[in-house]
Amino acid sequence: MAGGEPGKPNPEEFVYGEEDFVLQPAGWGDPDSAPSRFDRMLLAGWSDRMERGVFRYRLGPLPTRVLPGAVRLVAQLNEQRSAERRPPQPVRSLRDPFDPGAFNFTRLRPAELLFRLRRTGGPGPPPDPLLVAINASPLERGHVLLLPSPARRLPQLLTAPALRGALEAALLSAHPGFRVGFNGLGGGASVNHLHLHGLYLDRPLPLEEAPAEPLGPRLGLLRAGPAPAFLFFAAGPAALEPVSRAVCRAAEHLGAAGLACNVLATRGEPPAGPGTGGGRGLRVLLWARRPLFGPKAGEPFAVALCELAGLLPLPTEPLYRDITEAQALSAIRQHLLPKPELLHLGGELARLLEN
């Protein structure tokens, strides 16, 4: 199965080259107008598993509303995920080792596997193959796990090869809302086995085009949305490898400082914003945060990459109906760094990435 272990079935391969990267995805006016080969294969396999009952619950259209306010947070009611998902694993530190006795992705059922991504040709050496599997407790249509060599049993610490493979997956989609992301230990990761997420979000987010304050040649500070993030930008396929290395160097620096992280990659404008020259590419956001080990009493919702980006999957109807922007922002921002500490960290990262 995962990683080609003996006695396990191997999923179908999705072999791609640079010619399969979609540099100009569909517009938000009709995001499903021209799905790519990747989109067709992923969504067909995902829908097939939904019809076959492989998921923990049947995901239909989710009630969704934009909270009144300047930030325009998107609230979504997903009661089944809260009630039926596998309980998150206990995490004790940012450096917890992989635990073979706990649930991990070598235990996925064959029906949960969709395909394996493998690139041939340039630019640069190909990333490690990524296994694409359903997330059995989905947030949205097409919610998948991107698994770098599960048989290696790596803990949930982001690596440059894993991130680069995920960024290439983002470029394989023609949908403007296909995003990939990572939750670190202490930052909302529920399984301590290296994985990233991919999912289709059917609406634009402010962080796709808001201008960032430059901190250095390859780093900006993006204040749009509910949580400030460090911004990296890949203008095209050739930039994916250096951006992946830079993001992971920054994430390692956060870990050494006792901070957790989350990462999101989305199609977006250059760091200076729209109309400033240069075309759209991939924006990669890195959030630094106080680590949280276990649930926090009184917290209305857990805070991971979706919440930091402005999408709030909420567990109960009363919360979905009544929550205000001020309440949601308070719940998110209690995990963040004070402004002076964030700016000091930004200076450290800028100097680190200049070397």
Side-chain angles (χ1 to χ4, degrees):
M1 185 191 88
E5 293 185 11
K8 302 280 189 174
N10 283 314
E12 183 178 355
E13 279 202 332
F14 183 97
V15 180
Y16 65 95
E18 187 174 6
E19 67 277 7
D20 291 295
F21 293 144
V22 181
L23 303 183
Q24 296 295 328
W28 279 111
D30 191 7
D32 295 305
S33 60
S36 67
R37 183 168 66 97
F38 171 83
D39 294 319
R40 292 192 298 271
M41 188 166 179
L42 188 157
L43 291 171
W46 195 93
S47 298
D48 169 73
R49 289 356 180 244
M50 183 62 71
E51 291 301 316
R52 289 161 52 188
V54 179
F55 290 82
R56 286 177 169 255
Y57 49 85
R58 187 168 186 84
L59 185 72
L62 296 171
T64 303
R65 73 183 185 98
V66 177
L67 302 189
V71 182
R72 297 190 60 77
L73 298 171
V74 179
Q76 206 165 54
L77 178 61
N78 193 337
E79 295 174 292
Q80 290 175 296
R81 177 175 168 84
S82 175
E84 301 183 34
R85 68 180 297 202
R86 180 183 296 106
Q89 292 175 5
V91 175
R92 295 170 297 278
S93 78
L94 297 173
R95 298 287 178 179
D96 271 11
F98 176 85
D99 179 2
F103 172 80
N104 62 77
F105 300 118
T106 67
R107 300 184 185 182
L108 292 180
R109 297 167 292 165
E112 295 179 78
L113 309 181
L114 297 180
F115 52 87
R116 189 185 307 277
L117 286 170
R118 182 171 65 85
R119 177 163 67 77
T120 59
D128 292 340
L130 279 181
L131 185 64
V132 181
I134 65 166
N135 187 318
S137 301
L139 286 166
E140 267 285 8
R141 175 189 72 132
H143 187 179
V144 294
L145 301 171
L146 306 174
L147 308 174
S149 304
R152 294 171 61 193
R153 294 170 165 82
L154 299 174
Q156 184 68 349
L157 295 172
L158 190 60
T159 68
L163 179 58
R164 183 178 165 208
L167 297 183
E168 291 196 357
L171 287 187
L172 290 172
S173 174
H175 192 290
F178 182 73
R179 280 96 178 206
V180 298
F182 173 84
N183 294 319
L185 296 178
S190 61
V191 178
N192 186 14
H193 190 185
L194 183 56
H195 66 287
L196 296 95
H197 293 266
L199 71 165
Y200 294 82
L201 301 179
D202 286 328
R203 63 179 63 233
L205 297 171
L207 50 75
E208 294 174 21
E209 60 179 29
E213 303 168 21
L215 297 177
R218 294 184 290 170
L219 183 69
L221 178 63
L222 185 67
R223 297 182 186 271
F230 297 112
L231 178 64
F232 303 77
F233 185 72
L240 297 185
E241 184 173 5
V243 164
S244 298
R245 290 199 309 267
V247 172
C248 289
R249 286 188 72 193
E252 289 171 6
H253 184 82
L254 298 188
L259 299 171
C261 73
N262 302 84
V263 176
L264 177 76
T266 181
R267 303 277 187 166
E269 298 290 341
T276 57
R280 288 170 67 87
L282 279 182
R283 284 187 162 202
V284 185
L285 289 82
L286 171 69
W287 285 279
R289 57 183 290 174
R290 304 287 187 208
L292 179 64
F293 305 119
K296 186 169 184 176
E299 193 173 48
F301 52 82
V303 176
L305 71 93
C306 285
E307 291 78 10
L308 294 168
L311 175 69
L312 311 180
L314 298 176
T316 67
E317 199 281 330
L319 180 63
Y320 168 78
R321 181 189 65 230
D322 298 334
I323 193 168
T324 66
E325 179 181 270
Q327 291 169 334
L329 290 177
S330 176
I332 293 169
R333 290 173 176 170
Q334 65 179 316
H335 298 279
L336 306 181
L337 305 182
K339 182 178 177 180
E341 190 174 341
L342 181 71
L343 294 176
H344 178 75
L345 179 61
E348 290 182 344
L349 294 179
R351 290 188 293 273
L352 174 74
L353 298 175
E354 287 173 5
N355 297 327

